[in-house]
């Protein structure tokens, strides 16, 4: 079995690559990644020493380059993680989100049609459902919840989902989609809430909390997400959508306080800043379809996963420094410099 993973030098994709190398040693894993700002090639250092791992630096929007890789490797399964993934960046510059997340997905699916595959899996997000009100804890996202997006990012992901469903219906492409809640764990780029707050706290810098910090996210440890995708690949049905999440809802301020407490840093570092435009209130997944039909269930509770994650960043400050040198400083100044 040859499995082509796009976006494998990013956060979730790299965790997925390592899971495959460990859990499916008889498979060949091909990683295709353009190496944008969000990637760190050193993340794949260990993977590069495996004989059954191959890396291609390629842009999923480049039809010719993608077709060449498919022609050479003939993947049986394609898992598409490659994306522009940060909501705040999509508010600043939507265009690249449309290009990578929509056009890039179409290029991959066209290659799948041309060369033939057993499965194309689109890694999607719970953000395609929009948000839930804070005062209705009884409501959850189900697979039949209507698509109702808020940001350019979530709209680009929803567009890719619709295109994947259309390729299944029109061309019979064996497509599956998983929609997951917020991930956390090793190798996450420090523009996202948890690694950004860990990095700032370690360096005694202010922790910028948007609005009043009451927005709720449903946290899933990244390894649980990877096993969920594997379950969809091996037990899921073509044409189906599966929600992945673990009922770990937390208000942002609660997460920030836990990080400070774990690191022994004072709450005076918390700084309330201007809210995100169009900020989604609450995400909460109902994962019962994946649990019942795939036998999948997350195994890491937030209280354990956050400790593992903080320890990982403390042990890998060199990795963090590689990410935060260069353009990161410009990004940080632009996004947070004037945010009172
Ligand atoms: P990430 O930003 O950490 O990594 C994205 C990777 O894609 C990077 O390695 C980048 O270099 C690569 N990439 C970007 N544009 C590319 C292009 N044109 N061609 C080839 N490679 C390209 O993202 P992530 O957090 O690991 O998310 C992975 C996927 O999971 C995304 O599709 C995202 O929408 C989805 N998702 C993320 C979360 C989360 O909490 N992080 C939750 C649910 C779903
Ligand atoms: O739900 C899945 C989605 O989760 C994925 O599809 C996205 O790719 C991923 O980035 C994530 O989106 P969020 O917007 O929820 O994640 P982010 O880490 O950017 O923000 C989490 C919450 O924390 C959100 O309510 C905004 C807030 N926040 C974020 C940052 C970066 C802050 O208060 N301060 C910050 O500095």
């Amino acid at each position: 079995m040859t499995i082509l993973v796009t976006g494998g030098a990013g956060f979730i994709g790299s965790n997925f690559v390592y899971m495959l190398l460990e859990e499916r040693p008889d498979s060949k894993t091909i990683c295709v990644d353009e190496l944008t700002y969000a990637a760190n090639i050193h993340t794949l250092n260990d993977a590069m020493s495996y004989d059954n791992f191959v890396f291609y630096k390629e842009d999923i929007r480049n039809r010719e380059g993608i077709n060449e890789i498919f022609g050479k490797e003939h993947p049986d399964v394609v898992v598409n993680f490659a994306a522009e993934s940060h909501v705040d960046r999509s508010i600043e510059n939507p265009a690249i989100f449309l290009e990578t997340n929509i056009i890039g997905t179409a290029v991959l699916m066209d290659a799948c049609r041309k060369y033939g595959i057993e499965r194309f899996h689109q890694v999607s997000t719970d953000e395609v459902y929009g948000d839930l009100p804070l005062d209705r804890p009884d409501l959850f996202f189900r697979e039949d919840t209507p698509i109702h997006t808020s940001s350019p990012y979530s709209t680009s992901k929803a567009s890719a989902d619709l295109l994947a469903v259309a390729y299944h219906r029109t061309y019979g492409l064996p497509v599956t989609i998983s929609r997951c809640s917020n991930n956390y764990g090793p190798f996450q780029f420090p523009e996202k809430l948890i690694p950004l707050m860990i990095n700032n706290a370690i360096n005694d810098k202010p922790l910028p909390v948007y609005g009043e910090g009451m927005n709720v996210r449903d946290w899933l440890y990244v390894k649980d997400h990877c096993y969920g995708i594997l379950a969809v690949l091996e037990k899921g049905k073509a044409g189906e959508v599966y929600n992945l999440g673990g009922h770990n809802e937390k208000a942002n301020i609660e997460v920030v306080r836990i990080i400070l407490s774990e690191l022994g840093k004072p709450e005076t570092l918390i700084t309330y800043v201007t809210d995100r435009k169009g900020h989604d209130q609450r995400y909460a997944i109902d994962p019962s379809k994946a649990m019942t039909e795939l036998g999948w269930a997350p195994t890491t509770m937030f209280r354990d996963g956050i400790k593992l994650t903080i320890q990982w960043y403390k042990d890998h400050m060199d990795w963090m420094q590689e990410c935060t040198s260069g353009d990161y400083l410009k990004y940080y100044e632009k996004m947070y410099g004037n945010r009172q």
Side-chain angles (χ1 to χ4, degrees), residues 245-266:
H247 290 300
N248 274 308
E249 286 180 54
K250 298 251 172 294
N252 294 336
I253 190 65
E254 202 183 335
V255 173
V256 169
R257 288 205 170 106
I258 292 171
I259 291 170
L260 286 170
S261 153
E262 288 292 330
L263 286 168
K265 298 286 181 170

Side-chain angles (χ1 to χ4, degrees), residues 11 181-185 188 193-195 197-198 215-222 224 245-262 298-311 313:
F11 167 44
S181 56
N182 286 61
N183 283 215
Y184 67 105
Q188 187 169 30
L193 180 77
I194 289 182
M197 296 298 171
I198 294 173
N215 304 61
V216 169
R217 296 294 183 264
D218 183 2
W219 294 98
L220 186 70
Y221 193 58
V222 63
D224 283 326
H247 290 300
N248 274 308
E249 286 180 54
K250 298 251 172 294
N252 294 336
I253 190 65
E254 202 183 335
V255 173
V256 169
R257 288 205 170 106
I258 292 171
I259 291 170
L260 286 170
S261 153
E262 288 292 330
T299 57
T300 309
M301 293 304 294
F302 188 79
R303 63 170 178 270
D304 303 319
I306 194 70
K307 285 196 176 90
L308 289 172
T309 302
I310 292 172
Q311 192 57 48
Y313 282 101

Side-chain angles (χ1 to χ4, degrees), residues 106-287:
V107 167
L108 288 170
M109 290 194 296
D110 286 339
C112 289
R113 287 180 58 215
K114 185 171 163 138
Y115 291 93
I117 40 103
E118 286 174 25
R119 178 69 62 81
F120 175 82
H121 183 73
Q122 174 68 2
V123 180
S124 186
T125 168
D126 59 358
E127 295 199 17
V128 302
Y129 300 121
D131 63 353
L132 298 164
L134 290 176
D135 60 356
R136 289 294 306 274
D138 56 313
L139 296 180
F140 295 92
F141 296 137
R142 294 160 42 94
E143 287 78 0
D144 56 6
T145 300
I147 300 281
H148 188 79
T149 57
S150 314
S151 70
Y153 162 70
S154 56
T155 306
S156 68
K157 292 296 289 184
S159 305
D161 284 14
L162 294 177
L163 209 50
V165 170
Y167 271 57
H168 173 68
R169 175 156 175 169
T170 309
Y171 306 116
L173 193 71
V175 165
T176 42
I177 298 173
S178 53
R179 295 184 179 141
C180 189
S181 56
N182 286 61
N183 283 215
Y184 67 105
F187 299 123
Q188 187 169 30
F189 190 81
E191 64 186 352
K192 307 283 169 65
L193 180 77
I194 289 182
L196 186 144
M197 296 298 171
I198 294 173
N199 188 40
N200 284 18
I202 288 175
N203 292 299
D204 298 309
K205 283 176 59 179
L207 273 53
V209 172
Y210 298 168
E212 294 174 0
M214 297 313 291
N215 304 61
V216 169
R217 296 294 183 264
D218 183 2
W219 294 98
L220 186 70
Y221 193 58
V222 63
K223 290 188 180 151
D224 283 326
H225 184 186
C226 293
Y227 281 98
I229 293 171
L230 190 62
V232 176
L233 291 179
E234 295 182 347
K235 298 182 200 153
K237 278 199 291 213
E240 293 290 315
V241 174
Y242 298 90
N243 282 354
L244 301 174
H247 290 300
N248 274 308
E249 286 180 54
K250 298 251 172 294
N252 294 336
I253 190 65
E254 202 183 335
V255 173
V256 169
R257 288 205 170 106
I258 292 171
I259 291 170
L260 286 170
S261 153
E262 288 292 330
L263 286 168
K265 298 286 181 170
E267 291 201 1
T268 48
L269 285 176
I270 295 173
T271 312
Y272 292 93
V273 300
T274 312
D275 210 351
R276 173 184 281 174
K277 290 189 181 101
H279 199 169
D280 280 340
Q281 295 288 304
R282 170 175 167 251
Y283 302 146
I285 285 269
D286 174 353

Side-chain angles (χ1 to χ4, degrees), residues 8-10 13-15 17-18 21 31 35 39-55 187 312 316 318-320 322:
S14 60
N15 278 280
V17 162
Y18 283 113
L21 292 173
C31 174
L35 299 180
N40 182 343
I41 191 62
H42 298 299
T43 298
L44 293 175
N45 280 352
D46 290 342
M48 299 291 186
S49 64
Y50 284 74
D51 291 338
N52 58 339
F53 177 78
V54 181
F55 178 79
F187 299 123
W312 187 87
H316 294 83
D318 50 342
W319 183 91
M320 186 66 98
E322 280 154 13

